Amino acid sequence: MMETPMASTATSTPTALTDSFGRSITDLRISVTERCNYRCVYCRTGQGEASNHAEPPAEPLSWSELERLARAFVGLGIKKVRLTGGEPLLRPGLVEFVASVAALGVTDIALTTNGHLLAPLAGPLRRAGLTRVTVSLDSLQPESFTRITRVPGGLDRVLEALAAAAAARLWPVKVNVVLLRGYNDGEIEAFARFARERDCVVRFIEFMPLEEGSLWSRARVVPMDEIVQRISRVHALDPLPRKPGETACRYRFHDGADGEIGIVAPVTSPFCNQCTRVRVTADGKLRTCLFSLREWDLRPALREPSADTLAGRIRRAVAQKEERHHIGEPGFVKPARGMVQIGG
Ligand code: SAM
């Protein structure tokens, strides 16, 4: 029988979660599964489900454990919850889990998905309380889409998912594009046109060294300056003010056209001093930075009867949140787990 999450209401008064650098932690990203139906070159090895993990995937937290976890974070002042993976839509029960997070009083619940399974679920997710969706789409050309995702025939499904998300009022729909030199860097202008025509937010993301394989090099990264320059040659851009905790530099089109461009530039323009996020992996490990070399196992505290034990462990971990990442610096150490296991 499929396990379904419990719905309940938060009771404790939120008290701010603050790290030792004075940053307030208000955003929680929860990975609900490590499994993924895509094998994107910048993320996976392409060698099947287990890829090159030394260990088989760990047992994920149950939905009721995830609900308890979300409740603890909400009690500590978390305002925004993003559900991710792996591919979150692969796990049955996600709609009910969204409803249980909404029942905690969270009004900003987002989902990051590759979109492959989204079209029929967009309406149910919206009705359950999902407010926003980000769909990963790295190429608008079928051959290139398949070269990157290593899944044939997916592009049409993802385009259909974007339409379904807009129809379900999961608006504004965001499209994540990880730019890779030699793969899709020729499509920057086409994606800008796509943002205007579809009235969506296209967010270009600089490639980070978080893949299971070893594709990353500085030369593979398409830097933010180049993206802005190339779009500006075709459509003038006006910068938008950066919201607190916002990862992207945002731009609108100067001619007033619909759509928006965002650029997430962790490599060439890190935003660590603005970071408001922590992550929990599908197996219950709290990560205070994407590039953390240390994880905090929350599973034992989740099984303790007292909610204080869990809250205390979260507080202690957050107090030790890293000041910043060290991508590209001498001595940089890549985390043992890649993006698919951490949750992007
Ligand atoms: N399966 C979902 C998806 O494809 O959106 C959610 C998980 S995926 C790990 C979350 C996001 O991380 C995606 O937008 C993906 O493109 C991005 N991502 C994965 N690996 C990355 C990397 N090495 N550098 C930058 N972004 C990456």
Side-chain angles (χ1 to χ4, degrees), residues 2-7 28 30-32 62-71 81-84 91-104 109 125 128-130:
M2 190 183 85
E3 35 146 9
T4 50
M6 301 177 299
L28 172 65
I30 302 176
S31 170
V32 299
S62 67
W63 286 123
S64 57
E65 285 172 324
L66 284 170
E67 192 267 348
R68 186 156 186 235
L69 187 96
R71 183 204 301 256
V81 174
R82 177 172 291 275
L83 305 176
T84 182
R91 185 162 175 188
L94 187 74
V95 173
E96 293 83 353
F97 182 61
V98 167
S100 71
V101 175
L104 296 172
I109 309 175
L125 284 165
L130 191 76

Side-chain angles (χ1 to χ4, degrees), residues 116-199:
H116 201 81
L117 301 170
L118 178 63
L121 286 169
L125 284 165
R126 175 73 175 126
R127 287 190 288 281
L130 191 76
T131 39
R132 295 185 293 136
V133 68
T134 300
V135 177
S136 302
L137 170 59
D138 303 304
S139 177
L140 297 169
Q141 298 171 5
E143 307 77 43
S144 169
F145 181 94
T146 300
R147 184 175 171 228
I148 293 171
T149 60
R150 297 188 271 220
V151 170
L155 177 58
D156 286 345
R157 288 184 73 130
V158 178
L159 293 174
E160 192 192 329
L162 288 172
R169 292 177 296 108
L170 289 165
W171 194 88
V173 177
K174 283 188 192 163
V175 174
N176 271 0
V177 184
V178 179
L179 283 174
L180 302 173
R181 184 89 60 205
Y183 282 83
N184 58 356
D185 54 321
E187 295 192 59
I188 293 173
E189 296 84 352
F191 269 110
R193 195 164 56 244
F194 188 82
R196 294 163 64 90
E197 289 171 1
R198 298 281 185 124
D199 188 11

Side-chain angles (χ1 to χ4, degrees), residues 36 42-43 84-88 112-114 136 138 176 178 205-208 210-211 339-340 344:
C36 192
Y42 53 79
C43 191
T84 182
E87 174 44 46
T112 305
T113 170
N114 60 33
S136 302
D138 303 304
N176 271 0
V178 179
I205 304 177
E206 288 178 348
F207 178 28
M208 292 179 275
L210 280 170
E211 77 286 27
M339 194 72 129
V340 68

Side-chain angles (χ1 to χ4, degrees), residues 1 3 22 44 69 77 101 106 128 209 276 329:
M1 198 178 73
E3 35 146 9
R44 313 286 309 280
L69 187 96
V101 175
V106 182
T276 52
E329 294 176 19

